[in-house]
């Protein structure tokens, strides 16, 4: 670049660069309620717009990764702008509860969902359920197994996909530890590892691999299959879902949920409280059923067509508040050589 | 002290008239401020890592697993740096010094990979060749997105080096290859080494490619630790190891920099080199450029095209795309401007002064650069809510975060550019009574302008694709192309993500075009 042109461009560029934030910093009116959402914008934005209308308030939403937002809330401490944390999994809510940054919810709000789907301290509540399932390729897997314990058998060697770094998978392992004890879980993990499963980064990648026949089966959350069906057309999907029966740990029901933050001022806390009630109300529960294909947990709303009813699932009986020992799970996954 | 002696017989020593005196206040003060700014994340790491006492932190970093992850990270960085040096230097030489057809076009094209987020590159390769995962796939995708870090400064240096020395070497009977090795290469050292350090730090801090490729590096371990325990201490303790590694790397680079001079002090300006005739090498040279462009640019773009073609979630929302692109351009321009301004004094000091102060300033600028984005983002959250609450989650803080994150990118470019400007001219100006500021403004900056501009353009591009800090620090409700891309890929809506990824690459083409357009 010729020096003259560099100099001609440099000053205006510099001025523009330094002025841009100043020009853009004309901030709008302050928000009545700030929500930190670990749930994806594409999935929940329409719902949160309804919420804004319902509350007749200025609601601002910051989207991010559930774990990272939880860490951010912990760094912010009592100075947090957030009134409500909308988490993709129970683990992050459990962690915030442990650190004591959540406010207890009123009993009527808690009572809208079954006890299994809320925090032990009564300071967070699940708003939608997601079930761990086995996705399988009918041509390659034949009859799918009814328990994750079968996946350590020789007929599955090299044929199972899983995502060791995915929060839902780790919650499943934590659930297994609660249900069957640490020794049995470690043994299963080692057997699973010895069977050379294929690792993927996300549920989406696993489903992709099952669908293409790269693996015969994969451990995922149920709604990914419905998302993919919506994206590509159900008739184009080869992969099928199998809900594991008999209280098998592989059929864990986990939740996305909300917690109210202590750092919020009285006015914002009031809005946050009303937001939590809205998310447990019929409109929002119907949205979870129809749009995100998750299981509604309140207001008597039925799940989307094609999904088995939640109480027909024979899911393991477990209190999600007990799923907060993620550190031990991770240590165990490392010991088994899976992460 | 009058003469500095190069290590390489091909490098002519340049007389240094100035005594290696103290750094003038006019430079030291702004440089110290910029460095202090860049050191904020380290203070935070100290606070968090020692929260449960030093023993606790020590136990975390001395596990067998930590050692294994570190080995992985170092091996990956070594391989990627080597590959980037080969790619970057060869392409820079071909596009600036030979009669390669469409040289300008190639120069623009091989800058574009910078705009490809590492996870997009990794995704593209994985979807085409699933067997690639692990070390090979990580090394491949990281090399293809980061070789412009070497290519750009080296090309800028090649444009400014005087061909006289090379011609002299040729007239003394050295062949073209030996001339390149013994005369040209030593002159490119500061630019290439600066680029190599940036590549190494980029690899150490990358999460996108290694997570998709399932290769367990140190940074991946840090992310896993955050997600698993929400206890920020282990992540901080592990991050400290990366800082130590960075400082060691930068110190090593500075020590091996040698004391050779890189500037010419003749009359007049540097004459552009006559392009070397490629002769029978023309076809292989073209093939090389084409292969790199295909792998690093065409291939990711083709993948985006495939995303668009597959699936029916492609809700083209031109209004939103435009709005997002505009916001991205704004914050990236501001980030590049602030970063360049902060980097100038540090870069000049690093080029012109030796001694403890200069070293410390340069190392401070680099110290945080290998840290995962999430760590730096959380450190800024920590400071902002405590000491700059009105700015928290406002644009100025985001722009400041870019400056902390990318200061080394601009410092490396500035230093390499200033090294090529003869210090003699500054000495003359000083002897005529000009103050340090005026010398900087009238002599150093104009002479170094092309290199500094290249650094600014580079910073602009990397700001555009930054994700972790942008997610945490952006004003609530604001989106950049990178955050939209993250949102859309989060629900596997690849078709909806494609326009944002394509816009990123196209916008990056603007500075690349400006940089690659001019051929001396």
């Amino acid at each position: 670049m010729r020096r003259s042109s560099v100099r001609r461009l440099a000053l205006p560029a510099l001025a523009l660069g330094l002025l841009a934030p100043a020009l853009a910093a004309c901030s709008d009116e302050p928000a009545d309620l700030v929500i930190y959402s670990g749930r994806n914008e594409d999935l929940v934005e329409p719902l949160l717009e309804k919420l804004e209308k319902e509350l007749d308030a200025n609601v601002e939403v910051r989207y991010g990764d559930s774990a990272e937002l939880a860490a951010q809330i912990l760094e912010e401490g009592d100075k947090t702008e957030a009134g409500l944390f909308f988490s993709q999994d129970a683990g992050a809510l459990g962690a915030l509860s442990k650190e004591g940054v959540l406010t207890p919810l009123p009993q009527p709000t808690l009572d809208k969902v079954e006890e299994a789907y809320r925090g032990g301290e009564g300071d967070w509540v699940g708003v939608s359920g997601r079930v761990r399932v086995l996705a399988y390729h009918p041509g390659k897997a034949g009859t799918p197994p009814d328990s994750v314990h079968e996946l350590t058998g020789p007929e599955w060697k090299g044929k199972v996909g899983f995502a060791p770094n995915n929060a839902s998978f780790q919650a499943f392992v934590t659930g297994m530890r609660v249900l069957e004890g640490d020794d049995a879980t470690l043994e299963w993990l080692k057997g699973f590892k010895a069977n050379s499963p294929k690792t993927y980064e996300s549920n989406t990648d696993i489903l992709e691999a099952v669908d293409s026949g790269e693996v015969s089966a994969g451990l995922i959350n149920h709604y990914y299959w419905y998302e993919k069906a919506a994206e590509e057309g159900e008739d184009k999907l080869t992969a099928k879902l199998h809900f594991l029966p008999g209280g098998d740990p592989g059929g864990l029901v986990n939740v996305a949920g909300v917690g109210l933050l202590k750092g919020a001022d009285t006015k914002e806390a009031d809005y946050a409280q009303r937001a939590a009630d809205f998310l447990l109300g019929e409109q929002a529960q119907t949205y979870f059923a129809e749009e995100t294909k998750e299981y509604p947990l309140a207001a008597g709303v039925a799940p989307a067509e094609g999904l088995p009813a939640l109480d027909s699932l024979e899911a393991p009986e477990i209190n999600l508040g007990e799923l907060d020992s993620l550190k031990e799970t991770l240590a165990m996954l490392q010991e088994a050589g899976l992460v | 002290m009058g003469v500095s002696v190069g290590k390489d017989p091909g490098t002519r020593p340049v007389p240094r008239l100035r005594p290696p005196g103290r750094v003038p206040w006019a430079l030291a003060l702004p440089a110290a401020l910029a460095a202090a700014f860049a050191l904020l994340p380290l203070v935070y790491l100290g606070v968090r890592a020692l929260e449960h006492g030093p023993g606790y932190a020590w136990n975390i970093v001395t596990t067998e697993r930590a050692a294994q992850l570190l080995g992985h990270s170092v091996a990956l960085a070594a391989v990627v740096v080597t590959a980037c040096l080969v790619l970057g230097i060869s392409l820079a030489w071909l596009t600036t010094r030979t009669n390669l057809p469409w040289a300008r076009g190639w120069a623009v094209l091989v800058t574009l990979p910078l705009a490809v987020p590492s996870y997009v590159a990794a995704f593209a390769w994985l979807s085409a060749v699933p067997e690639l995962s692990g070390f090979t796939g990580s090394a491949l995708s990281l090399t293809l997105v980061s070789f412009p870090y070497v290519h750009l400064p080296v090309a800028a240096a090649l444009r400014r080096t005087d061909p006289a020395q090379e011609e002299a070497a040729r007239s003394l009977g050295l062949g073209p290859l030996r001339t390149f090795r013994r005369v040209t290469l030593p002159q490119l050292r500061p630019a290439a080494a600066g680029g190599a350090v940036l590549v190494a730090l980029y690899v150490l801090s990358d999460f996108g490619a290694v997570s998709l490729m399932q290769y367990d590096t140190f940074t991946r371990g840090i992310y896993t630790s955050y997600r698993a325990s929400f206890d920020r201490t282990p992540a901080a303790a592990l991050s400290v190891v990366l800082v130590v590694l960075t400082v060691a790397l930068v110190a090593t680079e500075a020590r091996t920099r040698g004391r050779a001079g890189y500037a010419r002090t003749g009359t007049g300006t540097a004459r552009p080199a006559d392009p070397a005739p490629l002769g029978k090498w023309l076809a292989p040279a073209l093939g090389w450029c084409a292969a790199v462009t295909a792998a690093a640019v065409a291939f990711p773009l083709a993948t985006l095209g495939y995303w668009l073609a597959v699936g029916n979630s492609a809700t083209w929302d031109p209004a939103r795309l435009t709005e997002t692109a505009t916001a991205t351009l704004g914050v990236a321009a501001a980030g590049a401007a602030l970063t360049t301004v902060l980097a100038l004094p540090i870069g000049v000091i690093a080029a012109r002064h030796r001694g403890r102060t200069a070293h410390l300033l340069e190392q401070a600028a680099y110290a945080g650069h290998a840290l995962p984005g999430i760590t730096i983002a959380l450190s800024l959250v920590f400071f902002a809510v405590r000491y700059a609450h009105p700015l928290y989650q406002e644009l100025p803080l985001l722009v400041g975060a870019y400056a902390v994150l990318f200061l080394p990118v601009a410092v490396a470019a500035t230093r390499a550019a200033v090294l090529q400007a003869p210090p003699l001219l500054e000495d003359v100006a000083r002897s005529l009574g000009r103050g340090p500021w005026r010398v900087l403004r009238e002599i150093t900056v104009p002479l170094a302008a092309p290199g500094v501009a290249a650094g600014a353009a580079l910073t602009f591009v990397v700001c555009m694709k930054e994700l972790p800090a942008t997610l945490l620090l952006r004003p609530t409700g604001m989106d950049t192309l990178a955050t939209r891309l993250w949102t859309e890929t989060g629900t596997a809506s690849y078709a909806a993500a494609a326009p944002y990824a394509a816009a990123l690459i196209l916008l990056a083409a603007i500075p690349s075009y400006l940089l690659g357009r001019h051929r001396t």
Side-chain angles (χ1 to χ4, degrees):
Chain A
M1 205 185 249
R2 260 180 299 273
R3 186 195 316 164
S4 58
S5 62
V6 168
R7 292 183 75 175
R8 265 210 310 275
L9 283 173
L11 273 174
L14 192 70
L16 175 81
L18 291 174
L19 279 175
L23 293 173
C26 319
S27 59
D28 41 2
E29 77 246 48
D32 298 311
L33 169 64
V34 176
I35 299 176
Y36 278 16
S37 169
R39 304 217 49 191
N40 190 289
E41 187 174 358
D42 284 352
L43 291 180
V44 299
E45 191 193 27
L47 177 66
L48 296 178
E49 276 175 5
K50 288 186 183 126
L51 166 73
E52 190 166 20
K53 277 202 192 74
E54 183 78 19
L55 295 187
D56 190 26
N58 182 8
V59 177
E60 279 189 355
V61 192
R62 163 171 298 272
Y63 294 96
D65 170 273
S66 289
E68 286 168 23
L69 285 172
Q72 184 170 9
I73 287 171
L74 293 177
E75 283 310 349
E76 289 169 351
D78 54 11
K79 287 202 168 67
T80 185
E81 306 271 317
L84 187 80
F85 177 45
F86 190 3
S87 171
Q88 197 171 324
D89 60 76
L93 286 162
L96 290 188
S97 168
K98 233 184 206 165
E99 296 280 344
V101 299
L102 298 179
T103 306
L105 287 150
Q107 202 58 38
T109 304
L110 291 168
D111 287 340
K112 290 180 181 180
V113 300
E114 280 179 43
E115 201 171 344
Y117 305 132
R118 56 200 202 211
E121 304 298 312
D123 55 5
W124 63 262
V125 61
V127 297
S128 61
R130 47 265 309 275
V131 184
R132 296 291 299 170
V133 291
L134 192 76
Y136 67 100
H137 186 290
K140 302 217 169 219
T143 320
D146 279 343
S147 166
V148 288
H149 287 286
E150 291 180 43
L151 297 177
T152 56
E155 69 276 23
W156 290 102
K157 197 163 182 71
K159 294 183 182 170
V160 184
F162 79 124
N165 289 301
N166 174 274
S168 301
F169 173 80
Q170 292 175 354
F172 143 70
V173 177
T174 312
M176 194 183 217
R177 288 179 38 232
V178 172
L179 291 163
E180 303 185 357
D182 282 3
D183 296 350
T185 307
L186 182 61
E187 199 179 325
W188 181 83
L189 286 172
K190 283 179 171 166
F192 186 68
K193 162 82 182 175
N195 228 2
S196 0
K198 286 202 169 142
T199 51
Y200 295 91
E201 190 57 24
S202 70
N203 283 286
T204 312
D205 300 343
I206 298 171
L207 185 54
E208 195 82 46
V210 172
D211 200 53
S212 68
E214 193 180 306
V215 289
S216 308
L219 297 163
I220 61 168
N221 288 351
H222 79 277
Y223 52 90
Y224 285 92
W225 186 88
Y226 294 92
E227 268 175 23
K228 198 173 166 69
E231 168 103 0
E232 293 170 25
E234 195 171 326
D235 51 337
K236 291 204 176 69
L237 276 190
T238 311
K240 294 213 173 326
L241 290 192
H242 181 57
F243 291 83
L244 300 173
D248 191 79
L252 179 81
V253 179
N254 205 338
V255 297
V258 292
L260 271 54
L261 292 156
K262 266 189 191 153
D265 60 41
T266 333
K267 198 167 135 245
E268 189 179 27
D270 181 54
Y271 278 120
Q273 170 57 50
R274 286 168 56 198
D277 284 329
F278 169 84
L279 291 171
L280 293 167
E282 192 178 348
Q283 197 185 4
Q285 292 294 308
T286 308
Y287 180 91
F288 291 130
E290 300 302 329
E291 299 298 325
T292 64
K293 309 289 184 188
E294 289 170 288
Y295 279 97
L297 298 177
V301 176
E305 208 176 326
L307 269 75
L310 193 54
D311 47 18
S312 74
L313 284 183
E314 304 179 28
E317 289 193 15
I318 193 167
N319 186 329
L320 290 177
E322 293 178 64
L323 295 186
D324 56 4
S325 57
L326 207 49
K327 217 191 252 187
E328 291 78 359
T329 297
L330 198 79
M332 195 179 280
L333 284 167
Q334 284 171 0
E335 191 181 340
L338 285 169
V339 291
Chain B
M1 280 313 295
V3 174
S4 58
V5 181
K7 280 195 208 160
D8 194 293
T11 312
R12 246 187 46 209
V14 175
R16 290 174 57 92
L17 292 184
R18 65 179 68 201
R22 295 209 347 240
V23 181
W25 278 113
L27 273 179
L29 203 63
L33 282 174
F37 194 50
L39 284 175
L40 282 182
L42 272 60
V43 178
Y44 164 83
L45 287 184
V47 171
R48 283 282 167 251
L50 300 174
E51 221 168 6
H52 304 294
Y56 185 87
W58 183 248
N59 285 342
I60 291 164
V61 300
T62 50
T63 56
E64 197 183 326
R65 183 171 159 75
Q68 181 195 21
L69 293 181
L70 193 62
H72 283 184
S73 278
V74 170
L76 187 63
V79 168
V80 174
V81 165
T82 310
C84 283
L85 284 171
V86 171
L87 284 173
I89 294 175
S90 64
L91 291 166
W93 187 73
L94 283 173
T95 53
T96 57
R97 287 300 189 83
T98 67
N99 63 345
L100 183 82
W102 316 300
R104 282 180 202 187
W106 294 121
V108 172
L109 282 173
V110 295
T111 314
L112 290 186
L114 264 191
V116 181
S118 65
Y119 50 92
V120 172
F123 184 91
W125 285 102
L126 266 183
S127 51
V129 196
E131 303 72 62
L132 263 180
S133 68
F135 183 86
T136 319
S138 306
L140 178 75
S141 23
L142 285 169
T143 300
L144 289 176
V145 296
S146 56
F147 76 85
Y149 278 117
V150 176
H151 168 260
L152 272 177
V154 170
L158 277 168
R159 282 192 209 106
R160 291 187 54 88
T161 44
D162 195 308
Q165 289 189 29
E166 292 160 42
E167 284 156 10
R170 293 295 301 270
S171 72
L172 292 169
L174 282 185
L177 274 178
R178 287 175 73 194
T179 304
F180 181 77
R181 200 170 53 83
R182 293 180 51 184
V183 181
T184 319
L185 218 47
Q187 299 212 41
L188 299 179
R189 224 193 146 287
V197 167
L198 289 179
V199 172
L201 300 183
Y202 181 84
V203 173
L204 290 177
S205 67
D206 178 76
F207 177 68
V210 294
S211 71
L212 275 169
M213 290 286 179
Q214 295 284 321
Y215 187 64
D216 250 346
T217 61
F218 216 74
T219 289
R220 197 162 169 228
I222 290 172
Y223 268 87
T224 310
S225 171
Y226 269 121
R227 291 193 178 157
S229 62
F230 300 93
D231 174 0
R232 288 143 296 155
T233 301
L238 291 171
S239 296
V240 172
V241 176
L242 283 179
V243 175
V244 171
L245 199 63
T246 307
V247 171
L249 199 71
V250 176
T252 312
E253 195 266 333
R255 214 174 328 218
T256 57
R257 220 175 262 166
R259 303 179 55 91
Y262 299 97
R264 52 181 296 283
T265 5
T267 47
T269 54
R271 182 169 48 84
D274 289 330
L278 284 163
K280 63 176 189 220
W281 290 101
L282 186 70
L286 272 178
W288 178 236
C289 293
V292 175
T293 309
V297 185
F299 183 58
L301 281 173
T303 307
L304 297 180
Y306 168 79
W307 283 4
L308 278 171
V310 175
N312 43 26
S313 78
T315 41
W316 271 92
D317 188 349
R320 183 158 200 180
L321 183 63
T322 313
E323 187 193 343
T324 311
T326 314
T328 308
L329 283 173
V331 291
L338 181 64
T339 313
T340 309
V341 168
L342 288 175
L344 260 178
I346 299 183
V348 172
I349 289 172
R352 285 285 180 258
H353 298 273
R354 291 207 178 79
R356 190 169 300 174
T357 318
H359 265 309
L360 278 178
L361 282 173
E362 200 180 359
Q363 292 194 336
Y366 277 86
H369 199 57
L371 292 174
I374 179 74
T375 309
I376 294 189
L378 285 175
S379 73
L380 288 164
V381 169
F382 174 87
F383 284 107
V385 292
R386 280 169 181 74
Y387 308 110
H389 202 263
L391 283 184
Y392 184 54
Q393 293 180 353
E394 296 289 345
L395 278 169
L397 188 73
L398 178 61
V399 172
Y402 289 152
V404 171
L405 278 158
F406 302 123
L407 194 62
V409 176
V411 167
T414 307
R415 188 177 69 84
V418 173
L419 272 175
Q420 286 206 316
L424 183 66
L425 298 181
E426 294 165 25
D427 294 336
V428 170
R430 289 302 303 271
S431 73
L432 292 173
R434 298 277 194 278
W437 268 112
R438 257 188 95 176
V439 173
L440 188 69
R441 209 179 62 230
E442 293 175 1
I443 312 281
T444 319
V445 170
L447 282 172
V452 175
L458 202 60
T459 316
F460 175 78
V461 175
V462 291
C463 285
M464 278 206 306
K465 67 170 182 178
E466 202 287 331
L467 181 64
T470 310
L471 274 178
L472 264 61
L473 299 171
R474 62 188 164 151
T476 304
M478 187 195 105
D479 261 316
T480 66
L481 292 167
T483 62
R484 286 299 307 160
L485 187 59
W486 173 82
T487 300
E488 300 292 1
T489 46
T491 52
S493 317
Y494 298 123
Y500 295 101
L504 254 183
I505 298 178
L506 288 174
L507 286 179
I510 301 167
S512 312
Y513 172 76
L514 289 175
L515 287 171
R517 191 185 53 145
H518 185 66
R519 197 173 163 218
T520 39

